[in-house]
């Protein structure tokens, strides 16, 4: 739920003075009745100075709360820093639950909670008092103003039959992202009929019924995925005097921060509001879809989510999941939470889906991620040569000289439908190394995606074990290095340092071997000379 500040102008400072807040003044408390009213202290008189009140509205679990204001008059400030009222979608003081901060004269809009708890906090400072506010709430709200980046709506009593003669209006928007909204129906069963003249759900591309209608649905067929062209969407549910059904359940997402599709070879994204706290009650999806043959490698630049459950040790609360294949039905590549330094994750196909779930409380900073497409290639080797082959269609936008092994002079050739590099181990910047007590030949393949002054060179390490004629390739540089964390840079530096030491040891070992062989040959020659001398004598 995205925090918003609504600011309304008010007249100049008043001349009347309210009483100081007496010790032990009663305000706030737990409101557990199905409906009720509450107001600022002394309402409709002036509220006291230096007062803070919290009302926690708790209705039956499975229900929701509709909150509305009939009167509202607080001291005005352009950032609501003096007297203010805050509305929380759940427990107070959890920034991820904050629906809005309000001051000034005009009442806040009606709010519908995402679950059975809502909190309202009122605070006044030591200067300037107004008449305060009056509010009313009720449970099992049908409709309301939804301002979250994502959320869920259901027909009344879902999944049981909805009531007759019902009319509900959900106005979605005002989350601050400014992007279009996506609505997806997970379940749908209503009374049918030609023209949907009895029970129906109607969708409008804006905040009111005067906006263009996006569709009107009834029966048992799920409506198609709907995307608005504005940051607002109006949903109207209506039933007549008889014949009902199970109703519907739908999810909405705000595109931009919470629902994105990436098709470029590399990119980056972050959780909503990063590096500030993400909202609660989110389900956000980032889908990476690359050309066939590519794989997706994801780098976790920063991550801080709510930690693991102390009971199960698992990521039961806020968590980020990665699925291979582009849907939540695909193989789970990982599920992460807390504050961890994570190794990169790589898909097994050309599609990867990342899903962020946040629950009703305890928000954190979130995450920042970069990804890069791993270019499809076939790398093989003999005892003396590297063979590299890349489909031209995978790098159709590149000239062959943008693909080279070791140095630009070892550029790829176009043979049929492939870029090919065929080179001996003693050329193109190859070098001998010893890894895991095995001699290997290593070089670097460069693929240059740079445009203009913006450098973008992907690097792959190609490796061959000549004795076994086994080759491998690994992406070693893809995302913009400036976005990598200092810790990752330090690890990379340590790895490079270790590899350099390995190389020096290999060179030293190679030199020692040469000296040893030379001594052996010299000793053999001396023995032959001595034997010949003895024979002659």
């Amino acid at each position: 739920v995205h925090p918003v500040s609504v600011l309304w102008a008010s007249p100049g400072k008043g001349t009347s003075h309210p009483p100081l807040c007496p010790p032990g003044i009663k305000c706030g408390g737990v409101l557990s009745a199905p409906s009720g009213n509450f107001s600022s202290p002394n309402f409709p008189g002036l509220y006291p100075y230096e007062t803070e009140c919290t009302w926690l509205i708790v209705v039956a679990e499975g229900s929701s709360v509709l909150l509305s204001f009939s009167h509202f008059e607080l001291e005005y400030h352009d950032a609501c820093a003096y007297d203010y009222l805050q509305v929380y979608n759940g427990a107070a003081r959890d920034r991820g639950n904050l629906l809005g901060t309000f001051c000034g004269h005009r009442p806040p809009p009606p709010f519908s909670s995402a679950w059975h708890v809502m909190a309202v906090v009122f605070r006044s400072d030591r200067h300037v008092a107004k008449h305060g506010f009056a509010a009313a709430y009720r449970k099992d709200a049908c409709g309301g103003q939804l301002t979250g980046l994502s959320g869920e709506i259901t027909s009344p009593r879902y999944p049981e039959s909805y009531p007759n003669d019902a009319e509900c209006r959900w106005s979605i928007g005002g989350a601050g992202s400014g992007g279009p909204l996506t609505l997806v129906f997970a379940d749908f069963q209503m009374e049918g009929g030609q023209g949907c003249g009895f029970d129906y759900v109607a969708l409008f591309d804006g905040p009111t019924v005067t906006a263009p209608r996006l569709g009107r649905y009834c029966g048992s067929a799920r409506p198609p995925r709907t995307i608005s062209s504005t940051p607002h969407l109006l949903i109207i549910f209506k039933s007549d005097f008889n014949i009902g059904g199970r109703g519907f359940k739908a999810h909405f997402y705000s595109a931009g921060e919470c629902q994105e599709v990436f098709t470029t070879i590399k990119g980056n994204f972050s959780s909503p509001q990063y590096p500030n706290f993400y909202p609660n009650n989110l389900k956000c999806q980032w889908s990476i879809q690359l050309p066939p043959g590519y794989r997706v490698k994801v780098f976790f630049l920063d991550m801080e989510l709510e930690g693991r459950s102390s009971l199960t040790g698992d990521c039961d609360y806020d968590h980020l999941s990665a699925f291979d294949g582009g849907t939540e039905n695909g193989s789970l590549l990982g599920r992460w939470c807390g504050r961890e330094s994570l190794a990169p994750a790589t898909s097994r196909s050309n599609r990867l889906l990342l899903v962020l779930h946040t629950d009703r409380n305890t928000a954190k900073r979130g995450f920042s991620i970069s990804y890069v497409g791993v270019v499809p290639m076939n790398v093989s080797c003999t005892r003396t040569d590297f063979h590299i082959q890349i489909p031209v269609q995978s790098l159709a936008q590149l000239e062959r000289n943008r693909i080279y092994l070791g140095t630009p002079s070892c550029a790829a050739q176009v043979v049929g439908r492939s870029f090919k590099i065929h080179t001996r181990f003693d050329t193109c910047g190859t070098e001998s190394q010893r890894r895991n007590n095995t001699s290997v030949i290593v070089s670097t393949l460069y693929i240059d995606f740079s445009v203009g002054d913006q450098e973008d060179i992907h690097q792959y390490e190609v490796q061959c074990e000549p004795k076994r004629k086994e080759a491998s390739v690994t992406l070693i540089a893809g995302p913009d290095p400036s976005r990598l964390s200092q810790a990752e840079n330090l690890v990379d530096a340590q790895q490079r340092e270790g590899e350099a030491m390995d190389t020096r040891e290999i060179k030293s070992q190679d030199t020692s071997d040469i000296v040893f062989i030379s001594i052996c040959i010299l000793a053999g020659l001396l023995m032959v000379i001595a034997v010949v001398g003895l024979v002659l004598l």
Side-chain angles (χ1 to χ4, degrees):
V1 178
H2 194 88
V4 292
S5 292
V6 179
L7 315 168
W8 310 107
S10 67
K13 294 181 180 290
T15 56
S16 56
H17 299 277
L20 288 173
C21 183
I25 185 172
K26 291 185 178 181
C27 70
V30 178
L31 306 175
S32 57
S35 63
N37 301 275
F38 60 98
S39 59
S40 52
N42 297 332
F43 181 82
L46 301 178
Y47 50 74
Y49 297 136
E50 297 187 288
T51 300
E52 183 166 332
C53 311
T54 300
W55 291 268
L56 188 65
I57 306 170
V58 184
V59 297
E61 193 161 356
S63 303
S64 57
V65 180
L66 179 64
L67 178 69
S68 60
F69 294 85
S70 59
H71 183 88
F72 192 84
E73 183 189 357
L74 304 186
E75 180 186 6
Y76 172 80
H77 180 262
D78 59 359
C80 294
Y82 301 149
D83 302 350
Y84 60 80
L85 182 135
Q86 292 180 321
V87 181
Y88 290 86
N89 186 25
R93 302 308 186 195
D94 189 327
R95 282 186 282 178
N97 283 338
L98 182 62
L99 289 170
T101 300
F102 306 93
C103 62
H105 265 217
R106 193 181 302 175
F111 285 108
S112 180
S113 68
W115 59 310
H116 69 292
V117 178
M118 180 177 276
V120 178
V121 176
F122 165 71
R123 185 183 182 280
S124 65
D125 64 5
R126 64 181 62 186
H127 304 290
V128 186
K130 299 293 182 179
H131 292 281
F133 69 90
Y137 75 91
R138 70 175 188 271
K139 85 174 184 78
D140 283 330
C142 175
Q145 180 76 32
L146 303 176
T147 58
L149 290 172
S150 74
E152 178 182 287
I153 60 173
T154 61
S155 52
R157 301 179 185 172
Y158 178 87
E160 298 177 6
S161 293
Y162 53 79
N164 294 326
D165 297 315
E167 181 171 345
C168 311
R169 295 187 177 211
W170 293 269
S171 179
I172 306 173
S177 67
L181 295 160
T182 299
L183 182 71
V184 180
F185 285 87
D187 189 19
F188 194 87
Q189 185 194 38
M190 300 178 61
E191 180 185 5
Q194 188 173 4
C196 295
F198 306 125
D199 302 352
Y200 63 84
V201 169
L203 310 178
F204 295 87
D205 194 10
T208 68
V209 293
T210 60
R213 194 169 76 180
L214 298 173
R216 180 165 170 154
Y217 306 101
C218 60
S220 57
R222 276 192 300 171
R225 176 188 295 261
T226 300
I227 302 176
S228 70
S229 64
T230 72
H232 297 276
L233 184 66
L234 178 65
I235 304 170
I236 296 180
F237 163 75
K238 192 168 184 179
S239 64
D240 64 6
F241 64 91
N242 65 1
I243 307 178
R246 187 169 62 247
F248 68 87
K249 178 169 73 171
H251 302 274
F252 69 87
Y253 309 94
S254 177
E257 281 193 281
C258 195
Q259 183 90 351
E260 293 184 275
V261 176
F262 299 93
T263 57
T264 55
I265 299 301
K266 64 186 295 186
N268 53 75
F269 54 91
S270 57
S271 52
Q273 304 176 28
Y274 177 87
N276 297 319
F277 282 30
Y278 52 76
N280 290 327
N281 295 303
L282 285 182
K283 181 183 178 183
C284 299
Q285 297 185 345
W286 295 268
S287 178
I288 304 170
Q289 304 172 6
L290 301 184
Y294 275 81
R295 291 177 295 132
V296 183
K297 189 165 187 176
V298 173
F299 298 83
F300 300 89
L301 308 182
D302 181 32
M303 191 177 82
E304 184 185 12
L305 305 181
E306 184 179 3
R308 294 177 180 271
S309 166
S310 59
L311 296 177
T312 65
D314 295 330
C315 297
D316 296 334
Y317 308 132
D318 301 351
H319 58 268
L320 178 70
S321 301
F323 298 91
D324 194 21
T327 71
E328 292 185 67
N329 295 325
S331 300
L332 180 66
L333 299 177
R335 181 170 176 168
W336 305 281
C337 59
R339 186 173 184 176
E340 302 175 5
S341 179
L342 301 175
T346 305
S347 69
R348 293 184 286 270
S349 69
N350 63 319
R351 291 171 180 258
L352 181 72
L353 178 68
L354 287 159
V355 181
L356 172 67
H357 284 271
T358 68
D359 61 11
R360 296 168 178 173
N361 51 40
T362 314
K364 296 293 182 179
R365 185 173 68 247
F367 63 81
S368 176
I369 283 177
S370 283
Y371 77 88
V372 62
V374 180
V375 176
M377 66 182 72
N378 180 29
V379 178
S380 60
C381 67
T382 66
R383 292 182 182 273
T384 58
D385 300 74
F386 271 123
H387 297 268
I388 301 172
Q389 187 170 319
I390 304 172
V392 169
Q393 64 178 8
S394 300
L395 301 172
Q397 75 275 31
L398 298 184
E399 300 292 333
R400 68 174 187 83
N401 60 358
R402 297 287 196 97
I403 306 159
Y404 55 91
L405 185 68
T407 62
S409 60
C410 293
Q413 301 295 322
V414 179
V415 180
R417 297 181 179 180
S418 298
F419 292 112
K420 290 188 177 181
I421 297 176
H422 179 197
T423 181
R424 294 181 59 83
F425 290 158
D426 56 358
T427 60
C428 298
T430 57
E431 60 180 27
S432 174
Q433 295 185 9
R434 195 166 186 83
R435 297 182 180 179
N436 298 323
N437 296 320
T438 303
S439 293
V440 295
I441 305 298
V442 177
S443 188
T444 301
L445 175 69
Y446 297 90
I447 302 179
D448 188 353
F449 292 95
S450 302
V451 177
D453 296 332
Q454 187 173 357
E455 185 177 276
D456 183 12
I457 301 176
H458 296 198
Q459 300 176 34
Y460 293 80
E461 181 186 81
V462 291
Q463 175 181 312
C464 176
E465 189 178 336
K467 288 184 178 180
R468 297 184 178 181
K469 300 180 183 179
E470 291 182 352
S472 62
V473 59
T474 306
L475 176 71
I476 57 176
D480 182 356
S482 67
R483 294 185 61 85
L484 296 175
S485 66
Q486 292 182 356
E488 286 177 318
N489 287 333
L490 179 60
V491 169
D492 290 343
Q494 290 172 341
Q495 289 175 343
R496 287 194 297 269
E497 198 172 8
E499 289 173 3
M501 289 178 64
D502 288 343
T503 304
R504 288 195 293 271
E505 289 175 0
I506 292 163
K507 290 180 179 177
S508 175
Q509 183 175 348
D510 289 345
T511 304
S512 299
D513 290 343
I514 292 169
V515 172
F516 178 76
I517 292 169
S518 300
I519 292 172
C520 290
I521 293 171
L522 181 59
L525 289 172
L526 290 173
M527 288 181 66
V528 170
I529 292 170
V531 170
V532 171
L534 289 172
V535 171
L536 293 175
L537 290 173

